[in-house]
Structures are given as C-alpha cells and as structure tokens.
Amino acid sequence: MQNADPIVEFIAKTETSLQDGTFVRLVLSGPTEPDDGIERITVRRVQIRQAPHLAMTFTRRTNDIAKNIPLEKGTIWLEEQLHGAWKNALLGTTQKDWQLHFPRKGGQPQLSNHKPAVATAPSGSHDRERVRLLDATANDWLVALGVVDPTGKVLPSMADKHRQINRYLEILSHLLDDCGWKPGQPLNIADMGCGKGYLTFAAWHWLRRTKHSPVEVLGVESRPDLVEKTNALAKEINATGLTFMEGAIDKVRVKDIEVLIALHACNTATDEAIRRGVEMRAKLIVVAPCCHKEVRPQLQHPTVLAPVLRHGVMEERMAEWATDGLRALYLEWAGYKTKVFEFVASEHTPKNLMIAAVRDGEPFTNHAAKEKIEEFKHFFGIKKHSLDSLLRVEVAKA
C-alpha cells in the first residue's frame, strides 16, 4: 500500500536504494526560487576514504559547484530540500525511476514511477581514486622527474604527486570534452608557472602519445634553471610539440592559445593568468590558486560576520573564499561558464581548489554578472582587485 505522504514515500525509496545498491542518481529540478541561481542538483553515491558519501553537483547557468556529504546525513538534507525548494524530484534506481512532482498551485505532491533509464548501478568508487591515465609509456619522463623508480614503481615520497598528476589528467579530459575538442584535433596549450613541469609533461604525454593528437604544449616558467632542465628532458625523450620558455605570466609572449593552465601560481599571479586567458579568448582556463594576499588586508567585517571574522583563522579562510569567489565571478563576466571544486583530497595538499572556465558566450555583455562583482566587493569593502581591468573592457568595446 502506498504511503499517504508522497514525500515520505519518496524519501523512503531513496534510503532503500542507497542501502541495497540499486541507487543510480537523484535529481532535483525546477527551483521555486530561481533568484537563488541554482537550477538543478544532481546527486551520486560515492566512496571517499572508504566511507559512503553523497556527491552533489549544484548546476547554475554560469557555473557548477560540487559538494560531498556523508551518507548518513543524506536523509535530513533531502527532507529539507523536498519541503518547498523544488518543483520536481527524480530518483533513478535499477528497478524503477520515481518521479515526485509538486503542483504549481499547491496541493498534494504526485508520486509516479516509470521504467528505469539505467539497469545497472554505477560504480561506488570515487573518481579521485579510480582513474589512472598514465601507463608505462610515461616512465621515461616520470623517472627523470623523480616520480617513479626505473621499474615504474611510484616512489613513496611522490605518491601524492603521482595521484595529483592522474587526477589532473582526468579533469583535463572532461574539460576538453566540455570545450568540444575531439582526439586527433590540433590544440595549443600554455602551462603558466609550470615549475618542474610535472603537469606540463603529463598533458603533453596524454594528448600526444595516448590520444595521438597534434597538440603543442608550452610550459612558461620564470626560473631559468628549471626551463633549461625541462627543455633538456623534452629533447632527451624526443617530445615533439613540447617546449619550455622563460618568462613571467603577465609578460611572456604567446599567441593562439586555446587552453591556458596555471596551477599553484602565487597570489595575484593567478589573476594574471586569468587575465591573459581572457585577453587571448582561450576556450578553456584552468587555475588552482595558491596564497591569497591581495584581498585579506582590504577585507572589512560586515556586521553579521564580525563576531566570526575576529578570529584570524576564520578571516584568512574568508579572504581565500572571497578571492576565489571573485575570480569565478570575473570569469563569468568575461563569458565563461565556471566550475569551482576540489581537485585532490585535502590530505594530499591544502591548496586543492580548482577553478575551471569554459568559454560559452560573448564576453562583457552580461550586466547582471558585472553587478554581482560590484555588489560582492561592496559588501566586503574590497576596493581593488587584480582583475578590475576586466570591468573596464566593456567601455573599450563601445
């Protein structure tokens, strides 16, 4: 017999599917308050550090936000969401798909079921631990960079770096799909502030050797000794299409760049990379910020937040959050759809936030996006940001 309350029944079926292994996905759509900006929430069941979690993707028009919560907190979260926040909820299982619909003018929600769209439950393994895109053919440069030994075994001290490289390649593959790039097509990539070149060699290897694509990868680094070493290694392994150049992110001369990457560029160097990518109309911009020094001295304490921000550690985290949040907003103003997410677990590196931006519209035309930047800065009392020059590009176009 059906439960008298469709919401209670829907939640019960969700709990059951999560426990018996038939859960495929959960989708909440049709927000009742569209001004919040979130258009959809997609939920998957994953394993993170041997514990079940719900991996959520909050989809907005211009960017996606990822969040994970322990499985045991899922029921409370779902109950909160199903009481007034959404017009539709879809539970996909391997046995049936369950649709919960809330009538437009109130009244009793309607619960219906359909033939399952997917007959097999997805793997419970979290992508961060599952994907390995480097095989033995990468050992020539991995050995030279001190990541693996001559037999191909990962050195214990470099296990985190090896994991980071694989995760980076996995993300890059998905982002290139978002850009519409297909294996075999040419592509020009610039890796700004590439350091010892771990990720530069990785991108070149995966695209040239694995995907057999005529890509050109350029590593830009300000330290001449590192540029000399990486160029020597590239020559030693006959890395056609891979070069390294000495220069600063904001001054180096590059052209025809479709993908710009800057991982762990310190302080405003991340902003310089973003600005260069926007100026060159790169299809894809990927940055992983490092230290955040510009905003914190300017950060005012809004009245409601003042009791919390008086603690130094909270103020520091708020400054990081505000800095990277502004970067995402500037990219949206520049015509990019952005994603902000953790690209490796925090125990591997505390600097694990990644901002990925795919160009999907005309730049500097969305005035609502510009207003969000100005409102955000005003709220926190931020007078100056390294990407402020982008706010004036609109005037230059007129």
Side-chain angles (χ1 to χ4, degrees):
M1 180 181 295
Q2 276 201 338
N3 196 300
D5 188 336
I7 295 178
V8 172
E9 185 176 0
F10 185 87
I11 293 173
K13 292 186 180 300
T14 302
E15 289 180 318
T16 299
S17 66
L18 286 167
Q19 296 300 326
D20 65 14
T22 61
F23 180 87
V24 175
R25 63 172 180 156
L26 174 68
V27 180
L28 306 179
S29 61
T32 56
E33 297 183 7
D35 290 344
D36 288 349
I38 300 175
E39 299 176 345
R40 174 190 299 260
I41 303 177
T42 305
V43 182
R44 299 178 298 123
R45 188 186 192 279
V46 298
Q47 290 287 122
I48 301 178
R49 296 188 286 278
Q50 290 76 53
H53 283 68
L54 295 180
M56 306 174 183
T57 300
F58 296 78
T59 302
R60 300 172 63 216
R61 189 185 67 81
T62 55
N63 71 310
D64 294 345
I65 301 172
K67 179 181 179 181
N68 301 321
I69 65 171
L71 184 62
E72 60 267 21
K73 295 183 179 180
T75 299
I76 295 175
W77 175 84
L78 184 56
E79 288 177 348
E80 293 173 348
Q81 298 299 317
L82 293 181
H83 284 86
W86 300 95
K87 300 174 185 176
N88 295 285
L90 171 66
L91 168 64
T93 77
T94 59
Q95 299 175 345
K96 290 182 179 180
D97 284 357
W98 294 90
Q99 185 84 39
L100 182 65
H101 174 68
F102 295 85
R104 181 174 298 179
K105 296 183 178 181
Q108 184 80 347
Q110 303 296 316
L111 181 63
S112 59
N113 64 76
H114 313 278
K115 181 179 179 181
V118 178
T120 304
S123 170
S125 299
H126 197 278
D127 288 345
R128 292 175 182 173
E129 300 298 331
R130 179 166 52 88
V131 177
R132 291 290 181 267
L133 298 182
L134 294 179
D135 56 20
T137 62
N139 285 350
D140 51 1
W141 57 271
L142 285 173
V143 170
L145 293 177
V147 179
V148 303
D149 66 19
T151 68
K153 183 178 180 180
V154 179
L155 298 175
S157 62
M158 298 298 286
D160 285 349
K161 176 61 69 176
H162 190 261
R163 187 178 295 106
Q164 182 190 56
I165 293 171
N166 276 280
R167 174 62 175 157
Y168 162 73
L169 290 179
E170 178 200 354
I171 292 170
L172 183 61
S173 69
H174 292 310
L175 292 174
L176 289 177
D177 286 342
D178 292 344
C179 292
W181 179 82
K182 304 295 183 184
Q185 294 179 343
L187 191 69
N188 292 327
I189 299 176
D191 186 1
M192 300 293 195
C194 64
K196 295 180 181 179
Y198 296 110
L199 303 182
T200 324
F201 276 96
W204 167 84
H205 174 92
W206 179 67
L207 290 165
R208 272 274 181 170
R209 288 178 170 177
T210 304
K211 294 299 181 181
H212 309 291
S213 302
V215 301
E216 298 290 330
V217 180
L218 170 66
V220 177
E221 173 56 45
S222 62
R223 291 166 287 185
D225 57 324
L226 293 182
V227 174
E228 182 179 355
K229 290 178 181 178
T230 49
N231 269 326
L233 175 56
K235 183 178 180 180
E236 179 183 337
I237 66 173
N238 297 315
T240 303
L242 176 63
T243 56
F244 293 85
M245 176 187 299
E246 180 184 348
I249 293 175
D250 60 336
K251 294 183 176 63
V252 66
R253 292 187 177 182
V254 293
K255 61 179 181 179
D256 301 326
I257 296 300
E258 294 157 299
V259 178
L260 186 141
I261 300 166
L263 305 188
H264 297 150
C266 188
N267 197 23
T268 57
T270 293
D271 302 305
E272 293 165 3
I274 290 174
R275 188 165 52 249
R276 291 299 302 273
V278 170
E279 290 171 353
M280 293 185 289
R281 294 182 63 83
K283 294 180 180 178
L284 173 64
I285 299 173
V286 184
V287 298
C290 189
C291 51
H292 303 67
K293 298 179 181 179
E294 183 184 39
V295 166
R296 184 174 180 181
Q298 305 179 59
L299 198 68
Q300 292 184 6
H301 296 179
T303 303
V304 70
L305 299 178
V308 174
L309 296 183
R310 64 187 174 85
H311 301 288
V313 65
M314 300 301 293
E315 184 184 45
E316 179 181 1
R317 291 179 181 177
M318 180 60 75
E320 292 180 0
W321 176 86
T323 300
D324 293 329
L326 269 174
R327 286 165 172 161
L329 291 176
Y330 278 108
L331 282 163
E332 291 168 14
W333 162 240
Y336 288 81
K337 180 176 180 180
T338 64
K339 298 179 181 181
V340 182
F341 54 94
E342 292 183 350
F343 72 102
V344 291
S346 58
E347 66 263 30
H348 304 311
T349 173
K351 305 300 183 182
N352 63 347
L353 191 74
M354 179 171 281
I355 304 172
V358 175
R359 182 158 57 86
D360 74 340
E362 284 300 312
F364 316 120
T365 58
N366 184 349
H367 292 282
K370 183 179 181 181
E371 289 175 3
K372 289 177 183 177
I373 296 172
E374 294 171 337
E375 290 172 358
F376 191 100
K377 291 178 63 181
H378 177 73
F379 181 79
F380 283 106
I382 300 170
K383 303 297 183 183
K384 176 182 178 297
H385 190 278
S386 291
L387 291 174
D388 282 346
S389 60
L390 296 181
L391 295 176
R392 298 186 289 272
V393 176
E394 178 188 30
V395 177
K397 287 178 58 182

